[in-house]
Amino acid sequence: MATSRSVARALRTRLLGYLESGKNLAGSACGVVGLGLTVTGVAGTYWPVVVAGLYGAGALIAPPERPAPPEPRGPSQQLDDIRERFARLREYVAEVELPDPAEGRLAELMELYGALLEPGWVADALAADPDSVHALSRAIGLDVPECVDTYNRTRWWTRLTPGGESPERHLERQLSLLHEEAERLTAGLREAEARRQQTHTAYLEERGQHS
């Protein structure tokens, strides 16, 4: 019974959707023309075929329905997406063998990213800064994977043709730069919170003077 009701509701929804669609409106308009031809006697005894044919032609030439534009994703949804990519990144780097200095730097970087994305007031402060959200998303979704992938490829070629600057040194430098960027991001959020606190203090002081 529940299944039958669900099917009936789905069919009713689809029928209502078609009745409101551009194809039905265009077909109905052409069908009205067919009825006009019937009234004037042009269609003759074949008027049902004429009306149905004009309706079908109108529905056929009607432009397709445009899909509804996607709803803009809010800051919290964007952070949820970043958290999902971060979880996949952690799984990926856990399976990659890195030299000790770079591995330690990467561990520090991942710990800092995790702290920024931990649900709570820090993540709320992050969500309020679109530039920081973009920077963190780019680092997690692009920069860190690219650093690790490039290191693995370069190391493979270095084994065949030794010489030149070591890929380990480049990787460590890249991770250090990303760590510095994450520290600047964190410092910016901390300063924003401090300014917010100072602003609230000034507001309370001003309110106290007028009370």
Side-chain angles (χ1 to χ4, degrees):
M1 293 294 293
T3 302
S4 299
R5 286 195 295 269
S6 300
V7 172
R9 283 197 300 269
L11 291 175
R12 186 163 54 250
T13 301
R14 292 183 63 182
L15 177 59
L16 291 175
Y18 178 75
L19 291 176
E20 297 175 353
S21 68
K23 287 185 175 296
N24 180 57
L25 295 177
S28 298
C30 292
V32 170
V33 173
L35 290 176
L37 295 175
T38 301
V39 173
T40 58
V42 175
T45 58
Y46 298 101
W47 67 267
V49 177
V50 173
V51 172
L54 288 174
Y55 175 88
L60 184 63
I61 64 176
E65 296 291 328
R66 292 184 178 181
E71 296 183 0
R73 301 183 66 80
S76 60
Q77 293 175 313
Q78 293 178 0
L79 286 186
D80 288 340
D81 292 342
I82 298 175
R83 289 187 183 102
E84 292 179 4
R85 292 199 296 272
F86 180 60
R88 293 195 295 268
L89 178 62
R90 295 181 71 169
E91 294 177 358
Y92 169 62
V93 299
E95 299 175 355
V96 177
E97 182 180 352
L98 300 177
D100 290 339
E103 185 175 10
R105 178 57 71 183
L106 178 60
E108 295 174 359
L109 181 61
M110 298 295 284
E111 183 178 359
L112 185 51
Y113 288 159
L116 289 170
L117 291 171
E118 184 71 24
W121 69 268
V122 175
D124 293 340
L126 174 64
D129 187 347
D131 291 338
S132 296
V133 172
H134 173 72
L136 188 60
S137 175
R138 179 187 58 201
I140 290 175
L142 178 63
D143 294 333
V144 175
E146 180 66 18
C147 289
V148 176
D149 289 343
T150 303
Y151 164 74
N152 283 326
R153 293 193 299 268
T154 307
R155 183 180 59 170
W156 188 87
W157 285 108
T158 303
R159 290 173 179 173
L160 296 180
T161 55
E165 205 165 3
S166 69
E168 289 80 6
R169 182 175 179 181
H170 277 291
L171 175 62
E172 186 178 357
R173 179 57 180 155
Q174 291 168 355
L175 294 175
S176 296
L177 291 171
L178 287 173
H179 193 275
E180 292 172 4
E181 179 185 62
E183 287 182 330
R184 289 194 300 271
L185 188 153
T186 304
L189 295 176
R190 183 171 59 247
E191 292 173 2
E193 286 297 312
R195 288 194 298 270
R196 188 176 293 110
Q197 185 183 37
Q198 293 170 1
T199 301
H200 190 60
T201 300
Y203 161 73
L204 293 176
E205 291 175 345
E206 182 179 357
R207 191 174 71 179
Q209 294 173 358
H210 293 84
S211 61

